Amino acid sequence: MTCLCFILAALSASPKCNCPVDSILQAILLGVIEGVTEFLPISSTGHLLIAQHWLERRSDLFNVAIQAGAILAVTLVYRLRLLDLATTWRDPGTRDYLAKLATAFGVTAVGGLIAKKLGAELPETVVPVAWALIVGAFVIFAVERWNRGRPIVEAVTWKVAVAVGVAQVVAAVFPGASRSAAAIFAALLMGLSCRPRAAEFAFMVGIPTMFAATSYELHKTLGNPAAVQAESWTELGIAFGVSAAVGFVTVKWLMKFISGHSFEPFAWYRLGLGTLLLVML
């Protein structure tokens, strides 16, 4: 993860280049960054905005769609779990879990639309992202300390579902907060103390959330001929594929990691990167 800091530091010393090959390489780099950071509690949107501070600025569709690429990786990692939910939907336990997923998604969708109507947009500078990274680091430290030593609880309750939905809206409004981090730590605070179980629920909710967000941005873009013409669809497709491939590896690694470790290493990373950005800018 820390290699991203060195990449960005190196990029800051060189001017932007708009040649086609360079633009494709940038799309690949953004796909890698997205695939790595989407599921780690360090903010994928924040990292994309940080990278695009020095690289070519991309459209909202690009930034959202490549996140959907990473989410596609979740559907592959959890394909057996999703198949089980689809084939056992008549089971009361399955229907209860699906209802809670739907509730979390519903809260996110309604809250996200309200935020859009109120004018929530991605920031033009990375300073807000830097502060969100730092604040988020202290939140992780605090939640991990609070969760330490508590009995392991794996049940997803209704208050967990609602809290995860609200947390995703907050993360969308404050890039740098991290959607996955906000959802996971909201679940932990609401009593779902098993980290892998909290991460699974957060990732499951992310599937309809990010696909819906991508559909929204795609619909908005297709309704604007100028935006359709301006969008680099080839580069978007490349970044989408790269983020999906890298995201698959990242999710597999993360689920093994948090089975025996806390999230505190990611908090230290956030604190270091946020501080570095404030010093550089």
Side-chain angles (χ1 to χ4, degrees):
M1 291 186 296
T2 52
C3 66
L4 292 175
C5 298
F6 296 105
I7 291 173
L8 296 175
L11 288 170
S12 67
S14 59
K16 296 180 182 180
C17 173
N18 293 319
C19 62
V21 174
D22 180 75
S23 191
I24 290 175
L25 290 176
Q26 288 184 23
I28 293 172
L29 176 59
L30 291 173
V32 172
I33 292 173
E34 167 57 32
V36 171
T37 60
E38 175 62 35
F39 308 104
L40 306 184
I42 56 177
S43 178
S44 61
T45 302
H47 277 74
L48 289 175
L49 291 175
I50 292 167
Q52 290 173 42
H53 178 76
W54 289 287
L55 303 178
E56 180 184 344
R57 181 77 179 190
R58 301 288 176 157
S59 66
D60 286 351
L61 173 61
F62 183 96
N63 289 327
V64 172
I66 67 171
Q67 291 181 59
I71 292 298
L72 177 61
V74 170
T75 65
L76 298 175
V77 172
Y78 287 106
R79 60 191 181 280
L80 297 180
R81 174 67 167 144
L82 292 169
L83 179 62
D84 177 67
L85 291 173
T87 55
T88 64
W89 63 270
R90 291 185 178 87
D91 180 79
T94 299
R95 283 187 291 180
D96 179 72
Y97 188 79
L98 290 173
K100 288 165 182 171
L101 283 175
T103 297
F105 169 68
V107 171
T108 302
V110 173
L113 286 174
I114 292 174
K116 278 287 187 181
K117 293 295 183 182
L118 293 177
E121 297 288 345
L122 295 177
E124 294 295 325
T125 69
V126 299
V127 173
V129 174
W131 282 112
L133 286 168
I134 292 172
V135 171
F138 287 108
V139 170
I140 292 175
F141 285 133
V143 175
E144 281 289 3
R145 177 178 290 272
W146 177 83
N147 195 53
R148 191 172 296 137
R150 293 175 63 83
I152 301 299
V153 177
E154 297 188 9
V156 179
T157 63
W158 286 106
K159 66 179 182 179
V160 166
V162 173
V164 166
V166 172
Q168 290 199 131
V169 176
V170 172
V173 174
F174 299 101
S178 172
R179 185 197 60 78
S180 62
I184 291 170
F185 289 104
L188 292 175
L189 283 172
M190 291 297 106
L192 183 55
S193 58
C194 177
R195 293 188 189 92
R197 186 70 166 167
E200 177 192 285
F201 187 77
F203 295 162
M204 287 287 191
V205 176
I207 294 173
T209 298
M210 293 313 303
F211 285 151
T214 301
S215 297
Y216 175 85
E217 292 295 341
L218 182 61
H219 175 75
K220 189 168 68 172
T221 299
L222 293 178
N224 183 345
V228 172
Q229 185 68 26
E231 188 63 56
S232 178
W233 297 99
T234 299
E235 292 168 21
L236 190 155
I238 291 172
F240 181 95
V242 171
S243 69
V246 175
F248 182 87
V249 176
T250 303
V251 174
K252 299 283 282 187
W253 173 83
L254 179 64
M255 297 308 291
K256 290 181 180 178
F257 178 82
I258 62 176
S259 294
H261 301 81
S262 75
F263 286 102
E264 288 185 352
F266 302 109
W268 285 112
Y269 171 81
R270 292 175 65 108
L271 186 60
L273 179 57
T275 303
L276 177 63
L277 287 170
L278 291 179
V279 171
M280 291 174 61
L281 300 174

